């Protein structure tokens, strides 16, 4: 009696991760190997074969590249006053892609800016009193570099200087009412200043995080546009066929117009 076929072994997500990790360790232990890597498109193709949506892979890559370090840097103002993001993706910018990118940039920032596109490079800038934004996209040798720079130090000054001055004025008024020697007056004055500064720091930090998310989302959308496949140019025979189809359609429309005109003439008579 022939042996019954054994059920096929299926590995779960955690097992797959452990197996691949251990296989990598074994390969490294055997000796140095040639450096290798996978592009985003190759990762998406592999993920699609195991039932993972390619869009989820792109989102994971965006989080990985834009993720904050394990120890967040301390910002005295509550957040950075300057944001700089950069990414290199496979693909080149065409005129059509450039127009789509500029539309995304204008939609993301909703600011008045100047733009220009020369060949496979484009740039959009906004130079305001409170904020300076620059987006540069450059294609070379099948790859596209995207850079986003958002600089807003004056916004921080506006957030802190007026509130600090107001807090100091309130503290001085309080000391004048309770007396310069009053310990309670000094404690209340310092509490007012500290509270106002904390509120200003929290507000600016929220604004800075919002603009970081704004820049990160825009970077992801621009990278997606740049990575889109570029349609192949039409061959001469295909162009000729399209012209013949267009001429034929125009002739049919003209003939239909003449027939309708004759029918209207007969009806009128």
């Amino acid at each position: 009696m022939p042996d019954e076929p054994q059920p096929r072994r299926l590995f779960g997500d955690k097992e797959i991760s452990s197996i691949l990790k251990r296989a990598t360790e074994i390969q490294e232990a055997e000796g140095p190997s040639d450096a290798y890597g996978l592009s985003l498109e190759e990762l998406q193709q592999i993920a699609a074969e195991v039932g993972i949506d390619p869009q989820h892979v792109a989102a994971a890559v965006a989080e990985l590249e834009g993720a904050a370090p394990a120890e967040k840097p301390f910002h005295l103002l509550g957040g950075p006053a300057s944001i700089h993001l950069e990414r290199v993706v496979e693909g080149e910018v065409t005129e059509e892609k450039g127009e789509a990118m500029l539309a995304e940039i204008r939609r993301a920032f909703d600011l008045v800016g100047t733009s220009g596109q020369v060949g496979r490079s484009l740039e959009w800038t906004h130079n305001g009193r409170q904020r300076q934004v620059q987006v540069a996209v450059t294609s070379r040798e099948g790859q596209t570099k995207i850079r986003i720079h958002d600089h807003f130090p004056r916004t921080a000054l506006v957030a802190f200087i007026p509130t600090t001055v107001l807090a100091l004025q309130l503290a001085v008024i309080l000391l004048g009412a309770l007396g310069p020697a009053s310990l309670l007056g000094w404690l209340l004055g310092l509490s007012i200043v500290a509270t106002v500064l904390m509120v200003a720091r929290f507000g600016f930090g929220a604004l800075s995080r919002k603009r970081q998310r704004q820049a990160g989302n825009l970077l992801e959308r621009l990278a997606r546009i740049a990575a889109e496949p570029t349609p192949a140019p039409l061959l001469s025979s295909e162009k000729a066929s399209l012209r013949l189809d267009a001429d034929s359609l125009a002739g049919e429309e003209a003939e239909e117009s003449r027939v309708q005109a004759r029918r209207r003439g007969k009806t009128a008579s």
Side-chain angles (χ1 to χ4, degrees):
M1 181 177 181
D3 295 336
E4 294 183 359
Q6 297 296 325
R8 186 172 59 177
R9 173 78 159 90
L10 298 178
F11 298 97
D13 293 341
K14 292 183 178 179
E15 291 176 311
I16 292 173
S17 177
S18 299
I19 292 170
L20 294 178
K21 180 180 179 181
R22 181 53 184 158
T24 303
E25 293 174 351
I26 295 174
Q27 177 174 308
E28 292 178 350
E30 291 180 351
S33 58
D34 295 336
Y36 68 96
L38 295 175
S39 66
L40 174 59
E41 292 75 14
E42 291 171 334
L43 285 173
Q44 289 174 322
Q45 183 178 358
I46 295 173
E49 292 176 356
V50 295
I52 300 175
D53 193 328
Q55 293 184 355
H56 296 162
V57 177
V61 172
E63 291 180 2
L64 179 63
E65 294 183 347
E71 296 183 0
K72 294 183 179 180
F74 174 78
H75 295 284
L76 181 62
L77 303 180
S82 184
I83 301 167
H84 182 76
L85 299 178
E86 183 174 314
R87 183 185 296 181
V88 178
V89 298
E90 297 294 331
E92 293 190 353
V93 176
T94 61
E95 183 176 353
E96 292 76 13
K97 289 183 180 181
E99 294 176 356
M101 287 182 170
L102 288 174
E104 287 290 345
I105 295 170
R106 297 187 183 104
R107 187 181 303 112
F109 290 113
D110 194 22
L111 297 169
V112 177
T114 59
S115 61
Q117 181 174 359
V118 179
R120 295 175 297 172
S121 300
L122 67 90
E123 184 174 308
W124 183 90
T125 57
H126 167 78
N127 289 314
R129 295 185 60 185
Q130 303 294 334
R131 188 179 186 185
Q132 294 83 43
V133 184
Q134 181 183 37
V135 182
V137 181
T138 306
S139 291
R140 181 179 300 174
E141 297 179 355
Q143 292 185 327
T144 297
K145 177 184 287 187
I146 305 169
R147 292 175 295 172
I148 300 177
H149 185 68
D150 194 351
H151 190 59
F152 44 96
R154 290 191 178 183
T155 304
L157 296 178
V158 171
F160 280 90
I161 291 179
T163 54
T164 303
V165 171
L166 177 61
L168 291 174
Q169 289 176 344
L170 291 175
V172 170
I173 293 174
L174 185 62
L175 282 174
L178 297 177
S182 172
L183 178 60
L184 178 62
W186 280 101
L187 291 176
L188 290 176
L190 291 175
S191 298
I192 291 175
V193 174
T195 301
V196 171
L197 288 177
M198 287 178 61
V199 171
R201 186 175 185 272
F202 177 81
F204 181 77
L207 174 65
S208 179
R209 289 189 295 272
K210 178 182 177 181
R211 293 187 174 177
Q212 289 182 70
R213 291 192 300 269
Q214 182 184 53
N217 293 335
L218 175 61
L219 181 66
E220 173 61 26
R221 293 195 296 271
L222 295 182
R224 195 173 300 170
I225 293 174
E228 290 178 353
T230 303
L234 295 175
L235 300 175
S236 300
S237 57
E238 294 174 329
K239 293 180 180 179
S241 177
L242 289 176
R243 284 196 296 269
L244 289 175
D245 292 341
D247 293 341
S248 176
L249 180 60
E252 292 176 359
E253 292 177 350
E255 181 63 25
E256 181 66 21
S257 299
R258 288 193 292 268
V259 171
Q260 291 179 359
R262 286 198 296 270
R263 289 177 180 174
R264 286 194 296 268
K266 291 179 180 179
T267 303
S269 61

